[in-house]
């Protein structure tokens, strides 16, 4: 992103178009910034071109269960927010996962996998 003011700009679009709490999104962004400033992690090379065709892409969680596991094991989250806070939000994600597993989606219905007895 090219700075618009001639100085370094920061832009956070994590919450746009998603059901994200803007305060949590900002807190996570600040935690990531603090982690980067304090630890200077080795960053991957910038992607030039179509990331979908990258032969060695960075791993990204494929579903909420994988994202939850990553979050629960995140040293950055535990350091920034504390174990009780991480456990609280992890439990909220578990409730979402349980609710999601109990749903029959439109795709399931199209495939004839609706609830029994319907």
């Amino acid at each position: 992103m090219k700075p618009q003011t001639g100085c370094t700009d920061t832009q956070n679009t994590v919450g746009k178009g998603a059901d994200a709490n803007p305060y949590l999104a900002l807190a996570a962004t600040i935690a990531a910034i603090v982690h980067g400033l304090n630890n200077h992690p080795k960053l991957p090379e910038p992607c030039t071109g179509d990331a979908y065709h990258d032969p060695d892409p960075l791993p990204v969680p494929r579903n909420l269960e994988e994202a939850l596991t990553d979050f629960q094991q995140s040293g950055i989250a535990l350091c920034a927010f504390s174990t009780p806070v991480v456990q609280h939000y992890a439990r909220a994600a578990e409730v979402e996962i349980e609710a999601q597993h109990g749903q029959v989606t439109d795709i399931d219905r199209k495939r004839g996998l609706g609830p029994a007895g319907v």
Side-chain angles (χ1 to χ4, degrees), residues 64 68 85-99:
L64 189 54
L68 174 57
V85 172
V86 169
Q87 289 173 342
H88 171 78
Y89 284 105
R91 181 62 191 136
E94 289 168 351
V95 170
E96 281 296 315
I97 290 168
E98 291 166 9

Side-chain angles (χ1 to χ4, degrees), residues 51-118:
Y52 289 106
H53 294 105
D54 187 336
D56 190 27
L58 293 173
V60 176
R62 293 174 294 175
N63 54 46
L64 189 54
E65 288 94 339
E66 288 182 8
L68 174 57
T69 299
D70 287 354
F71 176 67
Q72 289 172 310
Q73 296 173 355
S74 169
I76 298 169
L78 290 167
C79 180
F81 305 120
S82 79
T83 299
V85 172
V86 169
Q87 289 173 342
H88 171 78
Y89 284 105
R91 181 62 191 136
E94 289 168 351
V95 170
E96 281 296 315
I97 290 168
E98 291 166 9
Q100 185 181 42
H101 285 175
Q103 298 296 310
V104 178
T105 66
D106 292 342
I107 294 169
D108 294 332
R109 285 187 182 94
K110 287 179 185 176
R111 293 179 58 209
L113 301 174
V118 175

Side-chain angles (χ1 to χ4, degrees), residues 2 10 17 21-22 25 29 41 48 75 80-81 101:
K2 190 173 188 177
T10 301
N21 179 316
T29 300
T48 57
F81 305 120
H101 285 175

Side-chain angles (χ1 to χ4, degrees), residues 26-43:
L26 182 58
T29 300
I30 292 169
I33 290 170
V34 169
H35 173 76
L37 292 172
N38 290 338
N39 297 290
H40 307 285
K42 183 178 179 329
L43 301 176

